[in-house]
Amino acid sequence: MCRAAAGAMRQKGLPVAFVTAAALVHEMMEARDEKRLLQLQRKLAKVNLLIIDDLGFVPQSKTGAELLFELISQRYERGSTLITSNLPFEEWTETFGTGRLTGALLDRLTHHLNILEMNGESYRLNQSRARLAAADK
């Protein structure tokens, strides 16, 4: 679904970025260490849609959580940010480390928010089962 949204926007010529939360934090930490964080932040601020996939899959370090918060704060009311996560909001504190940072992040994210809650079996698991069933025939 996220990739489809990104593809549709790209077809219209709009800049889109799709990245996992872990890769994004890693890239921001590298950019900070190499003194090019501001350049990366400006680049990410220019995209119409930033898709951050699998937020909460990997707990963030204090620095990583702060960098992610800073990026989301910079994009707040300036560009669309789509975040996917398998965690309910109540469990985000485990990812970001502190209730204060998590609260501030959720405050920005939920101000103009549409939540799509999808419960059900994994489409990847369903595809694997279908492949196995086809191979057994």
Side-chain angles (χ1 to χ4, degrees):
M1 181 177 82
C2 293
R3 291 190 189 271
M9 289 187 73
R10 284 189 185 116
Q11 285 181 340
K12 293 182 180 195
L14 299 171
V16 177
F18 183 98
V19 65
T20 65
L24 177 60
V25 168
H26 181 76
E27 184 177 1
M28 288 191 297
M29 290 179 78
E30 271 187 2
R32 184 202 59 185
D33 294 345
E34 297 169 2
K35 309 285 190 240
R36 57 179 182 81
L37 180 59
L38 190 56
Q39 177 185 1
L40 176 61
Q41 289 171 329
R42 285 183 183 144
K43 174 185 158 191
L44 292 171
K46 289 180 183 176
V47 299
N48 285 63
L49 175 62
L50 174 62
I51 301 172
I52 304 172
D53 195 26
D54 289 332
L55 185 71
F57 191 70
V58 177
Q60 300 299 327
S61 66
K62 182 180 185 297
T63 302
E66 289 169 353
L67 288 170
L68 195 54
F69 170 78
E70 186 177 339
L71 175 65
I72 289 170
S73 293
Q74 290 168 350
R75 292 187 54 78
Y76 175 64
E77 293 191 336
R78 292 187 185 102
S80 296
T81 304
L82 190 155
I83 297 176
T84 69
S85 178
N86 288 330
L87 298 177
F89 290 143
E90 300 81 42
E91 293 180 27
W92 282 27
T93 302
E94 295 170 25
T95 298
F96 291 100
T98 68
R100 174 181 260 163
L101 182 65
T102 304
L105 178 71
L106 286 172
D107 184 58
R108 283 154 181 81
L109 286 175
T110 59
H111 185 218
H112 304 290
L113 173 73
N114 291 314
I115 297 176
L116 299 174
E117 189 169 340
M118 299 166 59
N119 294 316
E121 285 194 36
S122 163
Y123 73 91
R124 292 179 188 110
L125 179 59
N126 287 338
Q127 286 178 344
S128 295
R129 286 179 178 158
R131 275 194 308 274
L132 287 173
D136 288 342
K137 290 183 179 182

